Structure formats: C-alpha cells, structure tokens
C-alpha cells in the first residue's frame, strides 16, 4: 500500500453548495482511494487529540442523529463523541423507551427524524437492509453502524487504521479471523476492507461457524486452529449467541469451544498482534492473559475508533478537500 498522506482538513465557505449526498452503508461504497483518504484524514484528526482543547469547528451547526436499535457501548459512545469533537449537535435515540416500544415502524421513525433535518443519521439495527431503508426516506447522509450480520464498515476502517499504526503497512498483511464468522458483520466488512488494501484474510473456526461459500469473497478458510500461526494479525470474534437460532447447537459447549478454538498464548507466535472488536468473553474466545498482554491492540481499537469515526462524519459532510476551501489547522 502506498504511503498515506495527511491532507489538511478544510471548512467550506458559507454559501457554498452542499456536496452530493453520500452514504457509508457498507465497504462496497468505498474504493482503495476512499479508504486511503479516510485513514489519512483520521491521522490528521488524531493530532488534535493531544491538544488541551480537543474540539474542532469543522461541523459546527450540523446535526448528527444516532439511531440505535441494538445495545452498544463502543460504537454509540464513539459516534456521539466524534460528532461533539467536530462541534456538531447530536441527538441519540434508542429503541427502548421510544415510540418503537409502541410498535412504530422503522420507516415512520425515520420520517419523524427527517423533520428535524439531520445532516447524518448513524443507524444500528438487527435487520439487514435497515440503513438502506432509512436512506430511501430521508435526505440525510446515512452511516451503517451495524445491520444484522451483514455489514459494519466503520469497524473495518478502524481496524485497518489500528493495523497500520501498529505494523506500518497494510499491503501484504495476513489476518486470521478466528471464531464465529457465521453471525459476524464485523468479519464480512473486514474481509472486504482487507482485500481493498492488498491484505488477505483467512477464516479459522469450527465448520458450523464458517458460512458456506464465503471463499467467494476472496478469503481462505481453515478448520485448524494451528493455522493462526502463519498470520501477522489474529483477529478474534466472540460467540454471538444473540444472533443464533434458539436451541441451535453450533458447538457442544462454551467450555469445549474455549479448549478447541480459544486464542491462548501457547497458540501464538511472539511477533503476532491480537485484535478483538469487543465486547470480549474472557476465557471463551480469548484467554485473559492474551487480552491484557502487550501484543493486544484491543484498547487501541477503541481509541482509534474515535478518530476514524470523526473522519467518516467529516468526509461525508465536507467531501474530499477542494483547492478553494480554507484549511483547518490541526496542531
């Protein structure tokens, strides 16, 4: 992968026409240049976090709505803080305690929110295609923060950023994605994102948790946990029991899964790094001593998630930097 540049952020002049409406519904909305631009913008933004005053005025007067139909800690908090760090106004709506509890449809909720004229709606929803529905009935830019087991594009972008910061490159990296791939939107987005930047993925797990035909996405597949040893990065996934069919037995037990598929220190090489999108089930898919070790980048993923999501919000609203825009200095 070519070296990323860190172009200055820019503020559009008052009266400038708005950029065309764009969305981030999945990794397929991006090409390699777009990924490089977003990661470069995130690098520029990251420098602002070392200042005493961390707010940037880039999105002052904009409204970001976080519409979450599923539980979330990392994604919701990072999108909320990302908007505030860019000086945008924010509004959060969870399904619990809202009109959704009274039977309101997603379409009607979106139409209601549209009356507040939001600039961006960030949506997490248990059903595949929910972000596309919201995009079809509002004039806001839509960011998919996870739809069912389909896509989670900003998680993939922050993972790329974390790998690049740790290893200095993305091109040529080999990433072993271990665990419950069948129910993972994170895995699907990451597989696509790695392919865009010249890296490759190998899926490792029990046959019952590897989707049939997923090799068509350009990844390798293994049912031998020892095959994580050839990877530069070991990316661990949790068992997503909330997405599993009631009564389905994908593995005999969590104890047996941990014994056969858990990522432990003796299964890793000294030079490997370990990542996990969270939340972790310590002692199941990952050993506590691995999660807390120097090789673990799990805390870095949380920290870098903020600057990457700031970059996504900025990019959607301000567009690619133009020659006639005023630069925003970031010390």
């Amino acid at each position: 992968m070519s070296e990323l540049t860190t172009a200055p952020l820019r503020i559009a002049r008052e009266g400038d026409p708005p950029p065309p409406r764009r969305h981030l519904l999945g990794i397929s909305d991006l090409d390699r240049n777009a990924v490089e631009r977003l990661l470069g913008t995130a690098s520029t933004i990251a420098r602002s976090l070392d200042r005493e005053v961390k707010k940037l005025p880039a999105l002052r007067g904009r409204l970001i709505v976080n519409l979450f139909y599923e539980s979330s800690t990392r994604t919701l908090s990072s999108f909320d803080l990302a908007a505030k760090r860019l000086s945008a106004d924010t509004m959060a709506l969870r399904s619990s305690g809202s009109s959704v509890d009274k039977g309101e449809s997603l379409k009607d909720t979106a139409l209601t929110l549209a009356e507040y004229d939001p600039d961006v709606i960030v949506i997490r929803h248990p059903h595949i295609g929910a972000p596309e529905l919201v995009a079809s009935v509002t004039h806001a830019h839509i960011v998919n923060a996870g739809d069912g087991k389909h896509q989670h594009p900003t998680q993939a972008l922050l993972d790329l950023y974390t790998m690049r910061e740790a290893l200095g490159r993305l091109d040529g990296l080999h990433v072993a994605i271990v665990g419950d791939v069948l129910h993972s939107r994170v895995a699907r987005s990451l597989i696509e994102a790695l392919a865009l930047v010249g890296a490759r993925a190998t899926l490792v797990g029990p046959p019952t948790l590897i989707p049939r035909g997923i090799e068509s996405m350009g990844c390798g597949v293994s049912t031998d946990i020892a095959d994580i040893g050839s990877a530069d990065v070991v990316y661990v996934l949790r068992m997503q029991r909330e997405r599993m069919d009631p009564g389905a037995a994908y593995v005999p037990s969590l104890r047996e899964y941990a014994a056969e598929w858990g990522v432990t220190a003796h299964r890793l090489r000294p030079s490997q790094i370990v990542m996990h999108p969270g939340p972790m089930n310590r002692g199941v898919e990952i050993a506590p001593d691995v999660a807390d070790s120097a090789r673990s980048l799990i805390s870095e993923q949380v920290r870098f998630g903020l600057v990457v999501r700031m970059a996504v919000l900025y990019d959607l609203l301000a567009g690619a930097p133009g020659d006639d825009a005023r630069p925003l200095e970031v010390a």
Side-chain angles (χ1 to χ4, degrees), residues 257-316:
Y257 179 86
E260 294 294 326
W261 301 101
V263 174
T264 58
H266 78 272
R267 287 174 170 157
L268 297 169
R269 291 185 291 104
S271 61
Q272 288 178 301
I273 62 172
V274 176
M275 299 173 64
H276 193 304
M280 289 184 289
N281 293 312
R282 291 169 178 264
V284 180
E285 74 270 9
I286 187 168
D289 60 331
V290 172
D292 297 328
S293 68
R295 72 170 78 228
S296 169
L297 298 181
I298 297 169
S299 294
E300 285 81 353
Q301 287 173 270
V302 175
R303 185 169 71 252
F304 293 148
L306 173 60
V307 296
V308 168
R309 286 171 175 135
M310 288 175 71
V312 167
L313 295 177
Y314 173 83
D315 193 80
L316 285 176

Side-chain angles (χ1 to χ4, degrees), residues 144-225:
N144 182 359
D147 62 329
K149 57 182 182 180
H150 178 225
Q151 282 280 311
H152 195 352
T154 61
Q155 179 68 48
L157 289 170
L158 76 87
D159 290 334
L160 293 185
Y161 187 89
T162 304
M163 292 176 201
R164 192 197 69 175
E165 289 294 302
L167 300 173
R169 64 186 176 93
L170 291 171
D171 201 21
L173 285 184
H174 179 201
V175 180
I177 303 175
V178 186
D180 181 7
V181 179
L182 182 64
H183 302 96
S184 177
R185 56 195 174 205
V186 170
R188 286 168 175 80
S189 291
L190 186 56
I191 291 166
E192 291 185 47
L194 289 169
L196 276 181
V197 298
R200 64 188 178 97
T202 299
L203 311 180
V204 182
T208 52
L209 293 176
I210 302 292
R212 293 181 181 177
I214 199 167
E215 298 94 332
S216 64
M217 296 182 67
C219 57
V221 171
S222 173
T223 57
D224 186 352
I225 189 63

Side-chain angles (χ1 to χ4, degrees), residues 24 31 35 41 43 52 57 69-70 89 97 100 121 123 129-130 135 155 201 248 254 260 292 297 310 320 326 328 330:
L24 182 55
D31 57 19
V35 171
T41 300
S43 292
E52 184 176 353
Y69 283 73
E70 290 183 321
D89 297 319
V100 174
I121 297 177
I123 177 171
Q155 179 68 48
L254 291 183
E260 294 294 326
D292 297 328
L297 298 181
M310 288 175 71
R326 295 196 302 269
L328 172 63
V330 178

